[in-house]
Amino acid sequence: MEKDKTITAQERRDFLKGAAAFGMGVAVAPLLTAQAQAATAATPPPVADKPKLTMAEVLRVAREKLYPRCRVCPECNGVACAGEVPGFGGIGSGQSFKNNYDSLNRIQLHMRTVHDMKKPDMSVEIFGETLAMPILSAATGGVTYNMGGKMAEEDFINAILGGCRDAKTLGMAADGIGDPVETFKRRMDVLKASYGGKGMVMIKPRTQEEIIKRVRLMEEAGAVAFGIDIDSAGRAARALPGQTVEPKTLDQLKELVNCTKMPFILKGIMTAEEAELAVQAGAKGVVVSNHGGRVLDYTPGVADVLPAIAAKVKGKIVIFADGAVRRGYDVLKLLALGADACLVGRPLIRAAHGGGREGVAMMMNAMRQELMDSMVLTGVASLRQVPRSIIVGA
Ligand SMILES: Cc1cc2nc3c(=O)[nH]c(=O)nc-3n(C[C@H](O)[C@H](O)[C@H](O)COP(=O)(O)O)c2cc1C
């Protein structure tokens, strides 16, 4: 602050204290010197330091914004929200969501600490991008019909893509089944303008023509990779006009692979046979996923089907897995079962609502830290080589 033009903030505080002491109020304001008046206008009142965001605060705000769509339960296991689709739950009985949680929760880890490994290598490379962790955001859409509409679409996507970027990983943009192509384009504009395309995109299994239209927009945005959540085809029989989704044949998958240079990911794979078809189609990645238990009731948990899938396609294609990944430990378990990286859904929706971009980065970093600690305590030096033998009974 230039001393000769105005008074300092301290002087102003002293002045105001003095004024209060003398009972000066609005009536005497015209008597203030020109210098003091200028200072009053130019100097903002002292601002208290912004309190440091904590996870407890993020979850408190998330509950305030998301209730009753999400109750922010201490354990996000699909029990309280069973059947709530749209919303946060699993479909029908909620059993597929619960199976994701239970299949991971059942797994126990051997603790091994007689070694000299202190700092495991946490980085991974996915589609040419070096990431600080094998943890990415899942695609989650429907800020109004699923999440209750307390966050604007653009704020949500910025929180997810920005928070993931701050944590040095990748976020994923979703595609609402009822979204016209213009809405999708706006999302791609954000991906390009604010993140230089550093994100992945998951679109609905629309007609080939509609998908390819969106592929051109993703290319224009410079997206890292794209995929279709083929398991959304369950709505094929009841799709509204203009919202056609469909299962895809092998030839149709090949057409999608060949229509672009972007790596193609098939999301919603739950059997080894279909993972092999994805490889045959030329896909670069699969997501072993039952859509968070939201599309077909009574599927097994992801951790239960992953080993058979990895046995067939590990090394031929990037294996992502999602479903009830809540902590770094869950990531370690899925990596030991054959995944290359994990996606996180519901926890990041909560983080975005409770703490925006900062909340998402905080949650990602917390999971990374847990993953790192659990690697030290199981004697795993590198994410490229997570041995099955860390799992009890494997
Ligand atoms: C509210 C909500 C919306 C979702 N929207 C989409 C979507 O638009 N596209 C998609 O591929 N998956 C979607 N998913 C599924 C996630 O991508 C992911 O498979 C699942 O959430 C992982 O399970 P988790 O939430 O238990 O981590 C959604 C999940 C939730 C909970």
Side-chain angles (χ1 to χ4, degrees), residues 3-262:
K3 186 83 168 110
D4 56 338
K5 281 203 190 130
T6 181
I7 60 173
T8 65
Q10 185 58 48
E11 283 166 345
R12 180 170 174 268
R13 278 197 293 276
D14 291 345
F15 170 81
L16 291 174
K17 259 195 227 153
F22 285 103
M24 283 162 65
V26 179
V28 295
L31 300 178
L32 299 175
T33 63
Q35 188 193 38
Q37 284 183 31
T40 307
T43 313
V47 183
D49 283 346
K50 197 173 153 219
K52 198 171 170 322
L53 193 63
T54 62
M55 191 63 82
E57 179 62 7
V58 168
L59 295 179
R60 188 192 67 73
V61 176
R63 189 167 194 279
E64 216 169 81
K65 290 195 179 161
L66 289 169
Y67 188 87
R69 303 300 172 111
C70 175
R71 295 153 182 87
V72 190
C73 303
E75 283 297 299
C76 177
N77 56 10
V79 173
C81 55
E84 295 178 7
V85 183
F88 270 60
I91 200 156
S93 68
Q95 198 56 49
S96 299
F97 180 176
K98 289 180 226 167
N99 286 346
N100 283 343
Y101 181 86
D102 292 342
S103 66
L104 269 171
N105 218 28
R106 266 197 306 273
I107 297 171
Q108 297 176 339
L109 298 168
H110 283 298
M111 187 155 70
R112 291 200 178 95
T113 48
V114 184
H115 55 72
D116 64 355
M117 197 274 301
K118 294 172 213 143
K119 285 215 176 293
D121 177 5
M122 300 297 292
S123 66
V124 286
E125 201 185 300
I126 303 225
F127 302 141
E129 302 292 320
T130 302
L131 311 181
M133 62 185 94
I135 316 170
L136 296 82
S137 90
T140 52
V143 286
T144 49
Y145 52 88
N146 281 322
M147 305 172 200
K150 292 281 166 54
M151 214 172 168
E153 166 77 33
E154 197 166 323
D155 293 340
F156 180 71
I157 186 143
N158 271 308
I160 295 286
L161 293 176
C164 285
R165 191 180 172 128
D166 294 345
K168 301 189 175 57
T169 181
L170 287 174
M172 201 179 294
D175 170 32
I177 202 160
D179 291 349
V181 73
E182 295 73 33
T183 307
F184 185 76
K185 182 176 181 316
R186 278 200 297 278
R187 230 169 265 150
M188 293 306 97
D189 289 345
V190 171
L191 177 61
K192 181 179 182 180
S194 303
Y195 307 102
K198 296 293 180 198
M200 305 206 287
V201 189
M202 196 55 65
I203 55 179
K204 295 291 160 199
R206 300 170 182 276
T207 60
Q208 297 291 93
E209 192 191 351
E210 287 295 318
I211 293 175
I212 292 169
K213 236 190 251 174
R214 285 163 178 79
V215 164
R216 300 295 163 245
L217 296 172
M218 292 183 262
E219 286 173 336
E220 167 63 24
V224 171
F226 87 107
I228 58 168
D229 52 323
I230 196 164
D231 52 6
S232 284
R235 299 189 208 170
R238 56 186 168 89
L240 299 170
Q243 299 184 5
T244 304
V245 285
E246 54 189 25
K248 298 288 179 191
T249 64
L250 183 57
D251 282 344
Q252 285 178 312
L253 293 177
K254 285 182 181 166
E255 185 186 10
L256 297 179
V257 167
N258 293 326
C259 80
T260 177
K261 289 201 169 73
M262 274 186 298

